[in-house]
Amino acid sequence: MQDTQKTPTERLESMRAEALVGGGEKRIEAQHAKGKLTARERISLLLDPGSFEELGMLVTHRSTNFGLDKQKFLGDGVVTGYGKVNGRLIYVFSQDFTVLGGSLAEAHAEKICKIMDLALENGAPVVGLNDSGGARIQEGVVSLGGYADIFHRNVRASGVVPQLSLILGPCAGGAVYSPALTDFTFMVEGSSYMFVTGPNVVKTVTHEEVTSEELGGAQTHATKSGVTHFTAPHEAAAIEQAKQVLSFLPQNCEEDPLFLNYQNTTHEKREKLDALIPESAQQPYDIREAIFEIADADSFLEIQKDYAENIVVGFARLAGRSVGIVANQPAFLAGVLDIHASKKAARFVRTCDAFNVPLLVLEDVPGFLPGTDQEWNGIITNGAKLLYAFSEATVPRITVITRKAYGGAYDVMNSRNIGADMVYSWPTAEIAVMGAKGAAEIIFRKEISSATDPAAKLAEKEAEYAELFAHPYNAASRGYVDEVITPSDTREKLIRAFDMLKNKVRNTPRKKHGNIPL
Ligand code: HXC
């Protein structure tokens, strides 16, 4: 039937029906055959049932280049709108790979920009479901302009509303930079890729033979580059992770995160913590065990868990309150701070600070990693990122020193002198410039080398240094540590302290913006 023969309602209904199938049933089948969902199926999984309001369903491109005038699809390859996640407003765009490979050009970009503008003006998160062949080649420079419009908005919205990027297909070229500008990236194993240039270009330029998976698959970005914060075995799991992240964040930077109802009916003592620290300071233990004991049951959501494993970061709840945890991991490289760990933690600290999530630091750190590799790659600048991030954070921040707090790393890990609101220490803490053996070797070098029994002399001097510093009481006597606590009391102490700090206001000097060492 011609459009003119339809009633107005029939005409609208048929256009809606046309828009709903995107690139058509065959392409939807192909999408499913790849184990991927369609743009609309993804939105249904993300949003509360019946809450989606679509905008721009009838938008089309205006290009006539290379036969595009005969390839017009209602919606232009992206589904945009707003809806609710667990009752809270979000804005969403979902690229439709069945339409011209989800490629982005003028109209497609305008639709995304529209919901980003609404998100910024109304103070609610933006979730992007990315599945696109990148800039629509036929439309040329307007495709590039469209991306740049989005990047610009990503930056304007950064720190104002949470922005989440799910990568659910290819993401190539400049298209990776929008996700990179957002707060959290999620990838799906086996079906999502991110790279600036694909394997073919790599082969031409560097003669490296590499598969898409090796170059920019989920595992690569989870372990080698740290570009993705989460990986999931399938799309539904990635969407669930995104919802979890949203549950820890406020709608915008003017609000506090949601406080979940917490019934303080049980005893908050956690006896397991009293036995957590091994007898020897050289022995590792898993700091996650401390986190699991301290946080509300099953509340810990680890971020970038397979990248820079010497530091653990993630969201958790403490008596219903959303907190960001940064913890040295003695079970991996002794919990040393290196370039990757510093960058990972600094980014997380800034994310928490931007969105009013209080910070809890669990500290067991032997220092910064020495060596040419670290120095030549800039451990100075990169370590300074974490120092900067903690120092500038105005959210409530509490440190618990469980064992080692040595050297510059002690200062960096949210020490009293860089503005921690509270510092607790377990009796097992050693707060010093370095470990007793290293210290003795340096300051008593002459005495040791001239001794008749150098080994015995070293042991004697080591014990002397340990007596003075291998405990928390020197730091406590200076007030650098507010209280030395029994480990099993940690949870109770933290619940009270975060509650005490809930109205904290810390003003910062007026400035345009700081100059974090990038
Ligand atoms: C126009 C595109 C397209 C694009 C894919 N298609 N990418 N159309 N512009 N960028 C179309 C294909 O022609 C095809 O149409 C349909 O989408 C499905 O693509 P296939 O290739 O059949 O799918 P698949 O085998 O799954 O491969 C997906 C792909 C591949 C890996 C994404 O299509 C690809 O390499 N595309 C080009 C990627 C790219 O170089 N993009 C530009 C990056 S530069 P038909 O009708 O034949 O089925 C960039 C600059 C951004 O993005 C700048 C920002 C600063």
Side-chain angles (χ1 to χ4, degrees), residues 27 34 97 100-101 103 133-138 144 147 151 170 172-174:
R27 286 183 191 271
K34 286 185 210 156
F97 193 81
L100 301 167
S103 57
R136 188 173 301 154
I137 296 160
Q138 298 91 323
L144 303 184
Y147 268 121
F151 302 154

Side-chain angles (χ1 to χ4, degrees), residues 28 47 62 70 160 230 325 361 429 472 496:
I28 291 176
L47 298 180
R62 329 45 152 159
K70 296 186 189 63
V160 183
F230 295 93
I325 297 179
V361 174
R496 290 182 182 198

